[in-house]
Amino acid sequence: MKSFRKELWFHVPTRRAFVNITRQVSEFLLECGVREGLILVNAMHITASVFINDDEPGLHHDYEQWLEDLAPHEPVSRYRHNAGEDNADAHLKRQIMGREVVVAISNGRMDFGPWEQIFYGEFDGGRQKRVLVKIIGE
Ligand code: ZN
């Protein structure tokens, strides 16, 4: 069995955004040449997520609205975590959108269901953050 590791770096200028990272992950898989195995993709920050869903702008708008309904950014004073920072909502949003995804590799490709794409979910942007990609297999 072989294993490969890569960090993908992001600097999202806005506080929140969803970034489709499927192409970057799939290019790394091609570089590694693994034909059968697993890919783990995880956010390395506790205010960002990695998740799989559809690349459809209406859905991304719905996520944004739903997450703001659940954990609004303002007023920042509503959260105990916000003693000296303002990102409590980002920790909560990350929790519900998840830390990581695992994708099967079959015949050298990510074995997705229909419309599945991998996203980086940023909830406290404006700085450098990263995602870990780990590939194991042969
Ligand atoms: Zn925090």
Short mmCIF file of all heavy atoms in Angstrom, two decimals, residues 2 4 6 22-36 38-39 105-110 133 135 138:
data_model
loop_
_atom_site.label_atom_id
_atom_site.label_comp_id
_atom_site.label_asym_id
_atom_site.label_seq_id
_atom_site.Cartn_x
_atom_site.Cartn_y
_atom_site.Cartn_z
N LYS A 2 0.48 2.24 -0.79
CA LYS A 2 1.19 3.52 -0.82
C LYS A 2 0.34 4.57 -0.12
O LYS A 2 -0.88 4.43 -0.02
CB LYS A 2 1.41 3.96 -2.26
CG LYS A 2 2.32 3.06 -3.06
CD LYS A 2 2.41 3.58 -4.49
CE LYS A 2 3.06 2.54 -5.38
NZ LYS A 2 2.65 2.67 -6.77
N PHE A 4 0.03 9.04 0.25
CA PHE A 4 0.43 10.36 -0.24
C PHE A 4 -0.30 11.43 0.58
O PHE A 4 -1.43 11.20 1.02
CB PHE A 4 0.05 10.53 -1.72
CG PHE A 4 0.67 9.50 -2.62
CD1 PHE A 4 0.02 8.28 -2.84
CD2 PHE A 4 1.89 9.72 -3.22
CE1 PHE A 4 0.58 7.32 -3.66
CE2 PHE A 4 2.46 8.77 -4.05
CZ PHE A 4 1.81 7.56 -4.26
N LYS A 6 -0.97 15.83 0.85
CA LYS A 6 -0.81 17.17 0.28
C LYS A 6 -1.67 18.15 1.06
O LYS A 6 -2.76 17.79 1.52
CB LYS A 6 -1.26 17.16 -1.19
CG LYS A 6 -1.05 18.49 -1.88
CD LYS A 6 -1.35 18.41 -3.37
CE LYS A 6 -0.89 19.70 -4.05
NZ LYS A 6 -0.97 19.62 -5.51
N THR A 22 -12.95 19.99 -6.01
CA THR A 22 -12.94 18.66 -6.63
C THR A 22 -11.79 18.51 -7.62
O THR A 22 -11.09 17.49 -7.62
CB THR A 22 -14.28 18.42 -7.37
OG1 THR A 22 -15.34 18.78 -6.50
CG2 THR A 22 -14.42 16.97 -7.78
N ARG A 23 -11.56 19.55 -8.45
CA ARG A 23 -10.52 19.45 -9.46
C ARG A 23 -9.13 19.32 -8.82
O ARG A 23 -8.32 18.49 -9.25
CB ARG A 23 -10.55 20.67 -10.38
CG ARG A 23 -9.42 20.62 -11.42
CD ARG A 23 -9.44 21.79 -12.35
NE ARG A 23 -10.61 21.69 -13.22
CZ ARG A 23 -10.75 22.42 -14.33
NH1 ARG A 23 -9.82 23.26 -14.69
NH2 ARG A 23 -11.81 22.27 -15.08
N GLN A 24 -8.87 20.12 -7.77
CA GLN A 24 -7.56 20.04 -7.12
C GLN A 24 -7.32 18.65 -6.52
O GLN A 24 -6.21 18.12 -6.60
CB GLN A 24 -7.45 21.10 -6.02
CG GLN A 24 -7.23 22.49 -6.56
CD GLN A 24 -7.62 23.55 -5.54
OE1 GLN A 24 -8.80 23.85 -5.37
NE2 GLN A 24 -6.64 24.08 -4.85
N VAL A 25 -8.37 18.08 -5.91
CA VAL A 25 -8.21 16.75 -5.30
C VAL A 25 -8.01 15.72 -6.40
O VAL A 25 -7.15 14.84 -6.30
CB VAL A 25 -9.44 16.41 -4.41
CG1 VAL A 25 -9.31 15.00 -3.85
CG2 VAL A 25 -9.59 17.43 -3.28
N SER A 26 -8.77 15.85 -7.48
CA SER A 26 -8.67 14.84 -8.52
C SER A 26 -7.34 14.94 -9.27
O SER A 26 -6.77 13.92 -9.67
CB SER A 26 -9.92 14.89 -9.39
OG SER A 26 -9.68 15.35 -10.62
N GLU A 27 -6.78 16.16 -9.42
CA GLU A 27 -5.45 16.29 -10.03
C GLU A 27 -4.38 15.63 -9.16
O GLU A 27 -3.46 14.99 -9.67
CB GLU A 27 -5.12 17.78 -10.27
CG GLU A 27 -5.83 18.33 -11.49
CD GLU A 27 -5.72 19.85 -11.65
OE1 GLU A 27 -5.09 20.50 -10.80
OE2 GLU A 27 -6.30 20.36 -12.62
N PHE A 28 -4.51 15.79 -7.86
CA PHE A 28 -3.55 15.15 -6.95
C PHE A 28 -3.65 13.63 -7.05
O PHE A 28 -2.64 12.93 -7.09
CB PHE A 28 -3.77 15.64 -5.51
CG PHE A 28 -2.81 15.06 -4.51
CD1 PHE A 28 -1.44 15.06 -4.75
CD2 PHE A 28 -3.28 14.50 -3.32
CE1 PHE A 28 -0.55 14.52 -3.83
CE2 PHE A 28 -2.40 13.96 -2.39
CZ PHE A 28 -1.03 13.96 -2.65
N LEU A 29 -4.87 13.12 -7.13
CA LEU A 29 -5.06 11.67 -7.29
C LEU A 29 -4.37 11.18 -8.57
O LEU A 29 -3.67 10.16 -8.55
CB LEU A 29 -6.56 11.34 -7.32
CG LEU A 29 -6.90 9.88 -7.65
CD1 LEU A 29 -6.26 8.91 -6.65
CD2 LEU A 29 -8.42 9.68 -7.69
N LEU A 30 -4.53 11.91 -9.67
CA LEU A 30 -3.88 11.50 -10.93
C LEU A 30 -2.36 11.50 -10.79
O LEU A 30 -1.69 10.58 -11.27
CB LEU A 30 -4.33 12.41 -12.08
CG LEU A 30 -5.78 12.23 -12.53
CD1 LEU A 30 -6.15 13.25 -13.61
CD2 LEU A 30 -6.03 10.81 -13.04
N GLU A 31 -1.82 12.54 -10.12
CA GLU A 31 -0.37 12.60 -9.87
C GLU A 31 0.12 11.38 -9.10
O GLU A 31 1.20 10.86 -9.36
CB GLU A 31 -0.07 13.81 -8.97
CG GLU A 31 0.31 15.10 -9.64
CD GLU A 31 0.41 16.19 -8.57
OE1 GLU A 31 1.20 16.06 -7.61
OE2 GLU A 31 -0.37 17.15 -8.69
N CYS A 32 -0.67 10.97 -8.11
CA CYS A 32 -0.25 9.86 -7.24
C CYS A 32 -0.35 8.51 -7.95
O CYS A 32 0.38 7.59 -7.62
CB CYS A 32 -1.12 9.82 -5.98
SG CYS A 32 -0.93 11.29 -4.98
N GLY A 33 -1.28 8.41 -8.89
CA GLY A 33 -1.42 7.18 -9.67
C GLY A 33 -2.05 6.02 -8.91
O GLY A 33 -1.94 4.87 -9.35
N VAL A 34 -2.71 6.31 -7.79
CA VAL A 34 -3.38 5.23 -7.04
C VAL A 34 -4.64 4.81 -7.81
O VAL A 34 -5.42 5.66 -8.25
CB VAL A 34 -3.73 5.70 -5.60
CG1 VAL A 34 -4.66 4.73 -4.91
CG2 VAL A 34 -2.44 5.88 -4.79
N ARG A 35 -4.82 3.52 -7.99
CA ARG A 35 -5.96 3.00 -8.78
C ARG A 35 -7.12 2.54 -7.89
O ARG A 35 -8.28 2.65 -8.27
CB ARG A 35 -5.51 1.81 -9.64
CG ARG A 35 -4.36 2.10 -10.57
CD ARG A 35 -4.77 2.91 -11.78
NE ARG A 35 -5.85 2.28 -12.54
CZ ARG A 35 -6.59 2.90 -13.45
NH1 ARG A 35 -6.38 4.18 -13.71
NH2 ARG A 35 -7.53 2.25 -14.10
N GLU A 36 -6.77 1.98 -6.70
CA GLU A 36 -7.79 1.47 -5.77
C GLU A 36 -7.40 1.90 -4.37
O GLU A 36 -6.27 1.65 -3.93
CB GLU A 36 -7.86 -0.07 -5.82
CG GLU A 36 -8.28 -0.64 -7.16
CD GLU A 36 -9.72 -0.33 -7.54
OE1 GLU A 36 -10.58 -0.29 -6.62
OE2 GLU A 36 -9.99 -0.09 -8.73
N LEU A 38 -8.52 4.89 -0.93
CA LEU A 38 -9.39 5.88 -0.29
C LEU A 38 -8.69 7.23 -0.27
O LEU A 38 -7.47 7.31 -0.13
CB LEU A 38 -9.70 5.47 1.16
CG LEU A 38 -10.54 4.22 1.38
CD1 LEU A 38 -10.55 3.87 2.87
CD2 LEU A 38 -11.97 4.42 0.89
N ILE A 39 -9.52 8.27 -0.36
CA ILE A 39 -9.02 9.65 -0.18
C ILE A 39 -9.74 10.25 1.01
O ILE A 39 -10.98 10.21 1.08
CB ILE A 39 -9.33 10.55 -1.39
CG1 ILE A 39 -8.75 9.98 -2.65
CG2 ILE A 39 -8.82 11.96 -1.14
CD1 ILE A 39 -8.91 10.92 -3.84
N ILE A 105 -11.67 5.37 -4.14
CA ILE A 105 -10.98 5.43 -5.44
C ILE A 105 -11.20 4.10 -6.14
O ILE A 105 -10.86 3.04 -5.60
CB ILE A 105 -9.46 5.63 -5.25
CG1 ILE A 105 -9.18 6.90 -4.44
CG2 ILE A 105 -8.76 5.68 -6.61
CD1 ILE A 105 -7.76 6.93 -3.87
N SER A 106 -11.79 4.16 -7.31
CA SER A 106 -12.01 2.95 -8.13
C SER A 106 -11.51 3.22 -9.53
O SER A 106 -11.85 4.26 -10.11
CB SER A 106 -13.50 2.60 -8.19
OG SER A 106 -14.04 2.43 -6.89
N ASN A 107 -10.68 2.32 -10.05
CA ASN A 107 -10.12 2.50 -11.41
C ASN A 107 -9.43 3.85 -11.58
O ASN A 107 -9.51 4.48 -12.64
CB ASN A 107 -11.22 2.37 -12.47
CG ASN A 107 -11.70 0.94 -12.60
OD1 ASN A 107 -10.88 0.01 -12.56
ND2 ASN A 107 -12.98 0.75 -12.73
N GLY A 108 -8.77 4.32 -10.53
CA GLY A 108 -7.98 5.54 -10.64
C GLY A 108 -8.75 6.84 -10.54
O GLY A 108 -8.19 7.92 -10.69
N ARG A 109 -10.07 6.75 -10.27
CA ARG A 109 -10.91 7.95 -10.20
C ARG A 109 -11.69 7.97 -8.89
O ARG A 109 -11.95 6.92 -8.32
CB ARG A 109 -11.95 7.96 -11.33
CG ARG A 109 -11.38 7.78 -12.70
CD ARG A 109 -11.29 9.12 -13.42
NE ARG A 109 -10.49 8.95 -14.64
CZ ARG A 109 -9.79 9.91 -15.21
NH1 ARG A 109 -9.78 11.11 -14.68
NH2 ARG A 109 -9.09 9.69 -16.30
N MET A 110 -12.10 9.17 -8.48
CA MET A 110 -12.98 9.26 -7.32
C MET A 110 -14.35 8.71 -7.71
O MET A 110 -14.92 9.08 -8.72
CB MET A 110 -13.08 10.71 -6.85
CG MET A 110 -11.78 11.16 -6.20
SD MET A 110 -11.95 12.71 -5.31
CE MET A 110 -11.86 13.86 -6.68
N VAL A 133 -5.13 16.57 2.25
CA VAL A 133 -5.58 15.49 1.38
C VAL A 133 -4.67 14.31 1.62
O VAL A 133 -3.44 14.42 1.46
CB VAL A 133 -5.54 15.89 -0.11
CG1 VAL A 133 -6.09 14.77 -0.98
CG2 VAL A 133 -6.30 17.18 -0.35
N ILE A 135 -4.12 10.26 0.63
CA ILE A 135 -4.53 9.18 -0.29
C ILE A 135 -3.81 7.92 0.14
O ILE A 135 -2.58 7.92 0.29
CB ILE A 135 -4.19 9.54 -1.75
CG1 ILE A 135 -4.97 10.78 -2.18
CG2 ILE A 135 -4.45 8.35 -2.68
CD1 ILE A 135 -4.69 11.22 -3.62
N GLU A 138 -3.32 1.50 -3.71
CA GLU A 138 -2.28 1.01 -4.62
C GLU A 138 -2.74 1.04 -6.06
O GLU A 138 -3.90 1.30 -6.35
CB GLU A 138 -1.86 -0.42 -4.23
CG GLU A 138 -3.00 -1.37 -4.04
CD GLU A 138 -2.55 -2.67 -3.37
OE1 GLU A 138 -1.54 -2.67 -2.65
OE2 GLU A 138 -3.20 -3.68 -3.62
#
